[in-house]
Amino acid sequence: MGHKAKVLAGSHVGQGYVRNLPTRPRVSHATIPKSFDARSVWSYCDSIWSIKDQGNCGTCWAVSSASVMSDRVCIASGGQTRVNISAEQLAACCTDCGVGCNGGYPDLAWPYFRSHGLVTGGDFDSNEGCQPYEVPPTGSSADQYLRCSPHKCTNTHYQNSYKSDLHYGKTAYYVPPDVQSIQAEIMTNGPVVAGFTVYDDFYSYKSGVYKHVTGALSGGHAIRVLGWGVEDGVDYWLIANSWNRTWGDNGYVKFIRGINNCGIEEFVTAGLVEPN
């Protein structure tokens, strides 16, 4: 599959983890529907439709966090601000979050967003934003592409100044580890980041609802949760992965919901954003 190295070097999720954020008070929602898809509800947000490619680099924590930040900036602005928050800057500059391509902590991405702010940056070779993602889709020694460039735009074609391009988070928190709280959070504020333990059978997912059945533990991974639904009587989370569209179901996976499979419901992070 070519993705195992990414997960082995992905987010540090699992036993021994030290929590770094407060847990958000439970958010109730009068009616939680049988299915929900952020792509339909906030279809005007271009970022919600994107599938990223983290390349041969353990930046899943940064890529998924930056994607959710992008979604939430758009949602909070009612579609007036449509940006791609720079996963490159987050991965390269948040030294407390992780170590280059060797993984990181998605919960620490949100306090960084709140205190330092993040500029924009599109996908690899996109020429979009202040600091685009510089890790190529394939290749080795990916750490060389993660270079922190504070106070300047690395994209020489970009017209905005670094300072004017900054966006900020307002809060950072864990979502309570139960299905309804996660659902209410997504419906109220937008997609969330979830971390889970990866086993070998995850790599071969193509369609249907994924549930871990077999294979060795491979590492931790962080992804973006867009909503939920039911297929053939099985409840699932709708998830966007960051292994490009050749993986899974065009880049997406339906992940079994309600049984905390692989810890998917116990490590959910998010934050509110400052209006721009």
Side-chain angles (χ1 to χ4, degrees):
M1 290 292 292
H3 298 301
K4 179 175 262 190
K6 297 178 185 176
V7 180
L8 287 171
S11 62
H12 302 296
V13 179
Q15 293 182 352
Y17 174 74
V18 178
R19 291 187 172 269
N20 297 293
L21 296 178
T23 298
R24 182 175 173 83
R26 294 182 186 276
V27 178
S28 61
H29 202 284
T31 303
I32 294 178
K34 185 176 180 180
S35 63
F36 183 90
D37 188 339
R39 297 172 301 179
S40 300
V41 176
W42 297 292
S43 58
Y44 49 81
C45 294
D46 299 337
S47 61
I48 281 184
W49 296 92
S50 67
I51 292 292
K52 303 298 183 182
D53 189 338
Q54 66 189 69
N56 188 25
C57 185
T59 51
C60 58
W61 64 275
V63 171
S64 57
S65 296
S67 295
V68 168
M69 292 166 186
S70 304
D71 297 342
R72 290 190 166 215
V73 166
C74 179
I75 291 166
S77 70
Q80 296 302 304
T81 305
R82 305 181 192 185
V83 295
N84 274 314
I85 297 298
S86 176
E88 172 77 19
Q89 184 183 31
L90 179 57
C93 296
C94 184
T95 54
D96 288 339
C97 298
V99 185
C101 284
N102 294 317
Y105 299 88
D107 56 327
L108 293 180
W110 291 91
Y112 185 89
F113 187 38
R114 180 181 58 197
S115 60
H116 293 81
L118 290 166
V119 293
T120 61
D123 298 338
F124 175 78
D125 223 12
S126 67
N127 236 2
E128 177 191 343
C130 179
Q131 294 191 16
Y133 196 61
E134 295 189 9
V135 180
T138 57
S140 57
S141 302
D143 265 320
Q144 65 181 297
Y145 301 106
L146 293 177
R147 299 183 295 269
C148 184
S149 302
H151 313 305
K152 70 175 184 179
C153 290
T154 55
N155 180 5
T156 57
H157 300 283
Y158 194 57
Q159 298 300 310
N160 292 357
S161 69
Y162 177 93
K163 186 175 181 180
S164 68
D165 203 59
L166 282 168
H167 297 267
Y168 288 88
K170 183 164 61 175
T171 60
Y173 50 82
Y174 293 109
V175 179
D178 65 84
V179 169
Q180 288 194 348
S181 292
I182 298 168
Q183 291 174 317
E185 174 66 26
I186 294 171
M187 289 178 66
T188 304
N189 298 308
V192 297
V193 180
F196 65 98
T197 302
V198 174
Y199 293 87
D200 285 341
D201 58 357
F202 184 70
Y203 302 113
S204 57
Y205 171 82
K206 288 295 181 184
S207 63
V209 178
Y210 170 77
K211 178 184 177 183
H212 166 54
V213 175
T214 185
L217 186 153
S218 184
H221 192 41
I223 43 73
R224 181 171 51 129
V225 186
L226 300 173
W228 60 88
V230 181
E231 182 171 291
D232 296 330
V234 181
D235 296 342
Y236 67 82
W237 295 111
L238 174 63
I239 285 171
N241 202 359
S242 54
W243 294 345
N244 73 52
R245 291 189 181 274
T246 64
W247 179 87
D249 185 1
N250 199 31
Y252 297 95
V253 54
K254 294 171 182 173
F255 202 106
I256 193 167
R257 167 169 55 97
I259 62 171
N260 196 30
N261 187 57
C262 303
I264 190 73
E265 286 143 15
E266 66 185 62
F267 185 76
V268 178
T269 55
L272 302 181
V273 299
E274 291 287 0
N276 286 86

